[in-house]
Amino acid sequence: MVQALIFAVGIVGNIFSFLVILAPVPTFYRVYKKKSTESFQSVPYAAALLSAMLWLYYALLTSDLLLLSINSIGCLVESLYLTIYLLYAPRNAMIFTVKLVCTMNLALFGTMVAVLQLCVKGERRVTLAGGIGASFALAVFVAPLTIIRQVIRTKSVEFMPFWLSFFLTLSAVVWFLYGLLMKDFFVATPNVLGLLFGVAQMVLYVVYKNPKKNAAVSEEVAAGEAQQVEVKDQQQQQQQLQMQLQSSPAVAPLDADADVEAAEPAAASEQPAADHSRSSVVVDIPPPPQPPPALPVVEVA
């Protein structure tokens, strides 16, 4: 009965993991159609490939057919994703991806397998392989942090597929149960973190799924902050002016007199042009001529 339950949970885990592996298909179909990787990152797929390779090695050591089947499919599909990415990535992204794959998926994995096969024997080899696989499984779940940071920065979920996060969460729950039933804590432990990151991605998707609304809210917030800053500046200017007036009370009467004097010419300048045209004309009228002085009267004796 217990074995049947374990097998059933493992089959469900394989199904959900297969859906997780296929979740990026729309993303890479978009890359193929546009002939460009745009802002998509290769880190999650390289980490997923390494994790599948490590679990495949662990499954071979433990003879776990359910882990063996799903991780074989994972290695194949993740390699296909990286191949498509390299075909359409810009030069810098392509060089970075090649270096990442060569360093992490080839050199690191090859060194680990060689050391375990040559230097470690028996159950200790299984324990070390399981511990390393669990550690890199955590890296797979941490890799989406780059996408989460991009979502928060751009306030857009354009480059974070919802179905990938959804099936990743379900897969983490099922494989956690499978690890508990099998008493394999190398399988159960990393899926706790996978559940947390999956829920976090879905929450971000709900928050930022409407970019226009988020942009409008951001503009309103920015406008409100700018208005608050402007009001504070005006209040500070008024306070400074009041302090200046209080510190020098003699300035006000002088300013008032100056204002009155300045107002008088202004008022005079505002008179109609007709008043200026009424200039008085002074006519120089000479006085009337005076009569000649009377001659003296001479009496004749």
Side-chain angles (χ1 to χ4, degrees):
M1 184 65 181
V2 176
Q3 292 298 324
L5 179 61
I6 293 174
F7 183 78
V9 173
I11 291 297
V12 175
N14 271 258
I15 294 173
F16 283 134
S17 295
F18 184 68
L19 293 175
V20 170
I21 294 171
L22 294 182
V25 168
T27 297
F28 283 93
Y29 180 74
R30 172 178 173 175
V31 170
Y32 170 75
K33 292 290 289 184
K34 293 190 173 183
K35 311 297 182 186
S36 172
T37 56
E38 300 178 286
S39 295
F40 294 110
Q41 303 292 324
S42 63
V43 175
Y45 307 103
L49 175 59
L50 179 59
S51 178
M53 294 167 65
L54 291 171
W55 284 116
L56 180 61
Y57 177 67
Y58 178 76
L60 290 172
L61 294 177
T62 58
S63 300
D64 192 327
L65 295 179
L66 293 173
L67 285 177
L68 182 65
S69 60
I70 190 59
N71 286 288
S72 299
I73 297 173
C75 289
L76 179 63
V77 176
E78 296 295 341
S79 299
L80 181 61
Y81 289 158
L82 287 171
T83 301
I84 297 174
Y85 187 91
L86 290 173
L87 288 176
Y88 299 108
R91 180 177 176 82
N92 292 336
M94 181 182 65
I95 294 174
F96 171 77
T97 303
V98 170
K99 290 181 179 178
L100 181 66
V101 171
C102 291
T103 301
M104 189 168 63
N105 299 89
L106 297 180
L108 187 61
F109 177 76
T111 302
M112 184 211 72
V113 172
V115 170
L116 290 180
Q117 288 296 122
L118 298 175
C119 302
V120 183
K121 303 294 182 180
E123 288 297 324
R124 188 180 179 187
R125 179 189 298 168
V126 176
T127 302
L128 290 175
I132 296 172
S135 301
F136 279 96
L138 293 176
V140 173
F141 295 127
V142 173
L145 283 176
T146 58
I147 301 176
I148 291 175
R149 182 177 61 181
Q150 184 179 7
V151 169
I152 296 174
R153 181 174 57 84
T154 61
K155 295 182 173 56
S156 173
V157 294
E158 181 181 4
F159 301 105
M160 188 183 72
F162 170 77
W163 292 112
L164 176 60
S165 303
F166 179 73
F167 289 120
L168 183 66
T169 305
L170 293 181
S171 177
V173 172
V174 175
W175 283 111
F176 174 73
L177 294 176
Y178 179 81
L180 288 181
L181 292 173
M182 290 286 293
K183 296 181 180 180
D184 189 339
F185 294 101
F186 296 124
V187 176
T189 303
N191 285 287
V192 176
L193 189 60
L195 174 62
L196 296 177
F197 279 118
V199 171
Q201 291 181 56
M202 288 191 293
V203 169
L204 287 176
Y205 189 90
V206 172
V207 173
Y208 296 114
K209 67 179 180 179
N210 192 348
K212 293 183 179 179
K213 181 178 179 181
N214 294 326
V217 171
S218 300
E219 291 178 358
E220 291 179 0
V221 172
E225 293 178 352
Q227 186 176 4
Q228 291 179 356
V229 171
E230 184 178 357
V231 170
K232 289 181 180 180
D233 292 341
Q234 292 179 355
Q235 291 177 352
Q236 290 178 356
Q237 291 178 0
Q238 291 178 358
Q239 291 177 358
Q240 291 177 358
L241 181 60
Q242 291 178 357
M243 292 176 61
Q244 290 178 359
L245 292 176
Q246 291 176 0
S247 61
S248 55
V251 176
L254 294 177
D255 291 343
D257 294 340
D259 293 340
V260 172
E261 293 175 1
E264 291 178 353
S269 63
E270 292 178 356
Q271 292 180 355
D275 294 342
H276 294 285
S277 63
R278 298 176 188 173
S279 57
S280 58
V281 179
V282 179
V283 180
D284 189 8
I285 301 175
Q290 298 293 330
L295 296 176
V297 178
V298 180
E299 295 181 357
V300 178

